[in-house]
């Protein structure tokens, strides 16, 4: 089984940018609109952690992840 890393965090914490850098060596701005599976990563929209009505989507998707990485903006 391939290990998957799920990135979770508020909008504009750099989840997609981090994944793009790790996979492709560079990043292009792209707003994540829905949960995306990119190789061994699961990219989640910031709104999913900001809106309690979306928590269920994160919980269900987390079952597919080996690691959940929470990003925060400092």
């Amino acid at each position: 089984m391939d290990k998957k890393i799920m990135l979770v965090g508020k909008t504009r914490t750099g989840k997609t940018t981090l994944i793009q850098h790790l996979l492709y060596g560079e990043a292009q701005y792209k707003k994540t609109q829905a949960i995306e599976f990119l190789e061994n990563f699961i990219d989640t929209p910031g709104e999913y952690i900001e809106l309690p009505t979306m928590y269920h989507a994160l919980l269900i998707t987390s079952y597919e992840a080996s690691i959940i990485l929470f990003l925060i903006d400092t």
Side-chain angles (χ1 to χ4, degrees):
M1 179 175 112
D2 287 334
K3 293 192 178 214
K4 293 202 181 299
I5 301 170
M6 181 174 168
L7 280 75
V8 178
K10 291 185 176 185
T11 305
R12 302 193 57 80
T13 56
K15 300 175 297 294
T16 303
T17 301
L18 177 60
I19 291 171
Q20 288 178 351
H21 275 291
L22 293 172
L23 292 178
Y24 314 117
E26 60 182 77
Q28 296 180 348
Y29 179 77
K30 178 179 94 62
K31 174 73 175 106
T32 305
Q33 299 294 324
I35 294 174
E36 295 183 4
F37 293 80
L38 305 160
E39 296 187 28
N40 289 16
F41 295 97
I42 304 171
D43 192 8
T44 62
E47 292 83 5
Y48 281 38
I49 197 72
E50 296 167 357
L51 300 171
T53 57
M54 299 304 295
Y55 289 175
H56 68 284
L58 291 176
L59 289 172
I60 291 168
T61 306
S62 71
Y63 285 103
E64 299 187 42
S66 303
I67 299 168
I68 300 172
L69 181 63
F70 287 93
L71 276 72
I72 58 170
D73 187 17
T74 56

